[in-house]
Amino acid sequence: MVLGVAGLSVGLALGGVVLLVALGWTLQRTVDEEAFRTADAVARLAGENALPDPLPVAGGQLRVQVVDSAGRIRAASIDADRLVPMVRPDQLAGEGRRRTVVPGQRLGWQGPVRVVAVPARVAGEPVTVLVGRSTVDVRHATQAARTVLLVAFPLLVGLLAVVAWRVVGATLRPVEALRSGAAEITGRDAADRLPVPASQDEIHRLAVTLNDMLDRLSAARARQRSFLADAAHELRSPLTNMRTELEVAQRLGDRSDWPAVAADLLVDTERLGRLVDDLLLLARLDEQPARPAGPPREAEPVELGGLLAEVAARRPGPRAAGTAVSGPGSPASPVVAGSPVVSGSPASPVVAGSPVVSGSPASPVVTVAVAGPAWTVGVPDELRRVLGNLVDNAVRHARERIVLAVEPAVDGAYHLVTVTDDGPGIPAADRERVFRRFTRLDEGRARDAGGAGLGLAIVRELVRRGGGTVELADAGPGLVVRLRLPVLPEPD
């Protein structure tokens, strides 16, 4: 504010100087115009040989002389000197209209006198009309204006400083409230917010925006704390199991079945490794910036039918009869019960009862149904991870049957991939919640039978980054996962 008042003072000072200069120039110009008008009128009388004596002038501020080339005064006004010209002889020499300033003592006045000279002729003889005009009134007007400015300037600056202080103080008061409110925020209380002024101005919008940012930061902190707590809990469970098994085996000594202990530890280690891999994947996805519209740079064409066949072939369990499978670029062909499912090639009919992958009798039957070639664009490893997580989730909950299907897009922009199981399904109220991290429904809380609750969260993140969508729906009975993936664009 001090700098603002100082700048305003400098501006007012410069404005006052300009005003005084302009006022003096304007008054001086008025004096010259009045003197020239009088000189022109006397010159016309001289040209008509009608010079009166004394010369008539208006007011007492003008004095007129008509001087010939020898310096003699031919005519003069009533109060003008009839012996000595107003200007020196050397100042009379010259042609054209001229103006000069002489001391007032030559005319009996105080202060400088403005004298103008206009050439004329009397009876063919060249003469010069001299008109003197006192500038005392001009000087008095200029001095009065200077005095007024010198007195009013400090008062005006002081008044403006007070007004600026009050206005700036009223404007910055909400900013100070925001600053003090921000200083009081510790981050421990989720309800900490900045005060919002009642005025609907830029400060109000700034406070609202900052509070929205605090809400987002608070939500991010809550998610981070929840993620850390859940991750610590999930990591502690297999470590606790491993420690318990080792402590029991150590107490039993030679009576311990060390091969069984090693097998159990291997299971817990594998589970711990999967959990760590999932956590690292989610951490990398969170750190990566949002991708622009379009497929990622490492994306490539992928045939969904062949990818489904590859994922199904890697899961234990028998295959169903009547399956239609198409590899990349190949038409659909029937598959007999027990036939192998190979990614990238059409299925070959084999004799019923000869499954390729051995599985438990209780394993659900996996069916791959592909209506035709369906090409998408994406990262193969990410798509394989998405389909693998969905199939693993379906295997854990299905009773007898799992159907993997692809419906190629006809005129739309997305292929539809569905994973359907005949399990207990998921209530409609929980179908969005299960995509959150470390979320398990009550029926799936047994950690030995289920995962850590990260599979569907990984699916949504990968699908969203690939430009697709995923949703859950009722299969009656069971659950169907609808996965929409972008169609491979036509080459230009």
Side-chain angles (χ1 to χ4, degrees), residues 128-318:
T128 302
V129 179
L130 300 178
V131 177
R133 173 70 164 81
S134 175
T135 59
V136 174
D137 53 351
V138 174
R139 184 173 59 181
H140 289 169
T142 305
Q143 291 177 349
R146 184 185 301 111
T147 302
V148 171
L149 289 178
L150 290 177
V151 173
F153 180 77
L155 299 178
L156 181 61
V157 170
L159 178 62
L160 291 177
V162 173
V163 173
W165 180 75
R166 296 296 300 270
V167 171
V168 173
T171 303
L172 295 181
R173 194 171 297 115
V175 178
E176 175 61 22
L178 290 178
R179 187 204 63 78
S180 59
E184 295 174 358
I185 293 178
T186 60
R188 298 180 180 178
D189 188 0
D192 287 339
R193 291 297 178 270
L194 296 175
V196 179
S199 58
Q200 301 295 325
D201 54 5
E202 290 79 3
I203 304 298
H204 174 87
R205 292 192 291 271
L206 175 62
V208 172
T209 302
L210 291 177
N211 282 334
D212 292 341
M213 180 188 68
L214 290 176
D215 290 337
R216 294 192 298 270
L217 292 177
S218 178
R221 282 199 308 270
R223 289 194 302 268
Q224 185 180 27
R225 286 195 295 265
S226 176
F227 181 80
L228 292 176
D230 292 335
H233 182 73
E234 294 295 336
L235 291 172
R236 185 173 58 182
S237 297
L239 292 176
T240 302
N241 292 341
M242 296 168 64
R243 179 174 181 176
T244 301
E245 292 178 4
L246 290 174
E247 288 178 350
V248 171
Q250 186 180 24
R251 284 180 177 272
L252 293 178
D254 296 338
R255 293 175 296 170
S256 298
D257 186 0
W258 289 106
V261 173
D264 292 339
L265 292 178
L266 183 59
V267 172
D268 289 333
T269 303
E270 291 177 351
R271 176 187 166 196
L272 185 61
R274 290 195 301 269
L275 178 58
V276 171
D277 291 339
D278 290 344
L279 292 175
L280 290 176
L281 176 59
L282 288 174
R284 284 195 296 267
L285 292 177
D286 290 339
E287 291 179 357
Q288 292 177 0
R291 289 176 176 170
R297 289 181 299 177
E298 61 271 21
E300 59 184 65
V302 178
E303 206 283 313
L304 293 175
L307 189 61
L308 279 181
E310 177 187 346
V311 172
R314 294 181 178 180
R315 264 57 185 178

Side-chain angles (χ1 to χ4, degrees), residues 70 92 274 335 374:
L92 288 174
R274 290 195 301 269
V335 178

